[in-house]
Amino acid sequence: KAGVTQTPRYLIKTRGQQVTLSCSPISGHRSVSWYQQTPGQGLQFLFEYFSETQRNKGNFPGRFSGRQFSNSRSEMNVSTLELGDSALYLCASSSQTWTGMNSGNTIYFGEGSWLTVV
Amino acid sequence: AQKITQTQPGMFVQEKEAVTLDCTYDTSDQSYGLFWYKQPSSGEMIFLIYQGSYDEQNATEGRYSLNFQKARKSANLVISASQLGDSAMYFCAMRAGTRGSQGNLIFGKGTKLSVKP
């Protein structure tokens, strides 16, 4: 069973540019979440998509956006890149979204996309 | 507010020995899940073990076990028979909240484990 696949693995962008990162979840998983990891802020939740709908969003500016396709693949986009956007972006896959119950649905992560903004 | 605290920034362990990584959590919700992940320098976040708040037995997965003490709000990870490949960052995370809340993972700051030969 293939894991969570993220592309590209590494990329370098210039300030002001925009970037699109892609995530293919585990087959059968419909929930895709994105997290940003930086040395200073640690791991922070960006947003979650489930069945092509954004379910939740973290505290990030509107420059960060995403979408999910009918095959559950997801993309996230960052426009007008800033130096502070340099980070590891992790995609997570789960079979269900949070229901408020004690869900045992494990959340699996991909290898991440390392973004450097210069 | 929901919070995960990992008080050990770094730990050393001798190969083949057991090691415990500490994690305490704070939530007012009754229903929540606790996760441990391993992150090597490559960046991939590898799922290790899960414990639900209503699970009465401590979770185990191979060499990993979770010492869950609900009253103390702690969920320590125990790695038995450490191997050199266990050297990595380890993150404790929690998913909590009532229906309609975000339910996203909240992470601790991590513990860097170094296994010595």
Side-chain angles (χ1 to χ4, degrees), chain A residues 37 88 90, chain B residues 37-41 43-45 88-91:
Chain A
Q37 185 178 19
L88 174 64
L90 289 159
Chain B
Y37 290 90
K38 169 185 177 182
Q39 187 177 45
S41 56
E44 181 182 11
M45 195 74 79
M89 282 291 288
Y90 288 80
F91 290 95

Side-chain angles (χ1 to χ4, degrees), chain A residues 66-79:
Chain A
R67 59 178 174 168
Q68 187 179 34
F69 302 96
S70 58
N71 61 358
S72 294
R73 190 178 70 86
S74 176
E75 289 181 347
M76 68 162 282
N77 184 278
V78 188
S79 62

Side-chain angles (χ1 to χ4, degrees), chain B residues 12-23:
Chain B
F12 287 93
V13 64
Q14 202 68 38
E15 191 179 8
K16 298 180 184 176
E17 291 186 349
V19 63
T20 298
L21 306 184
D22 294 341
C23 172

Side-chain angles (χ1 to χ4, degrees), chain A residues 9-10 31 35 37 40 43 45 48 56-58 88 90 94 96-111 114, chain B residues 31-33 35 37 39 41-45 47 50 52-55 91 95-105 107-109:
Chain A
R9 283 278 284 143
Y10 305 92
S31 168
Y35 291 79
Q37 185 178 19
L43 284 142
F45 170 70
E48 180 200 4
N56 299 301
K57 191 176 191 303
L88 174 64
L90 289 159
S94 179
Q96 295 181 15
T97 187
W98 178 251
T99 63
M101 298 297 289
N102 194 17
S103 171
N105 297 112
T106 304
I107 302 170
Y108 298 94
F109 284 81
E111 293 183 305
W114 293 90
Chain B
S31 178
Y32 51 89
F35 300 75
Y37 290 90
Q39 187 177 45
S41 56
S42 62
E44 181 182 11
M45 195 74 79
F47 167 77
Y50 168 85
S53 58
Y54 295 122
D55 295 339
F91 290 95
R95 196 182 201 191
T98 55
R99 186 184 183 90
S101 70
Q102 290 195 340
N104 54 283
L105 286 173
F107 286 86
K109 293 189 181 301

Side-chain angles (χ1 to χ4, degrees), chain B residues 8 16-17 30 37 58 69 74 79 92 102 116:
Chain B
Q8 308 152 312
K16 298 180 184 176
E17 291 186 349
Q30 297 302 307
Y37 290 90
N58 286 343
Q69 297 187 45
S74 75
I79 305 174
C92 179
Q102 290 195 340
K116 298 186 289 185

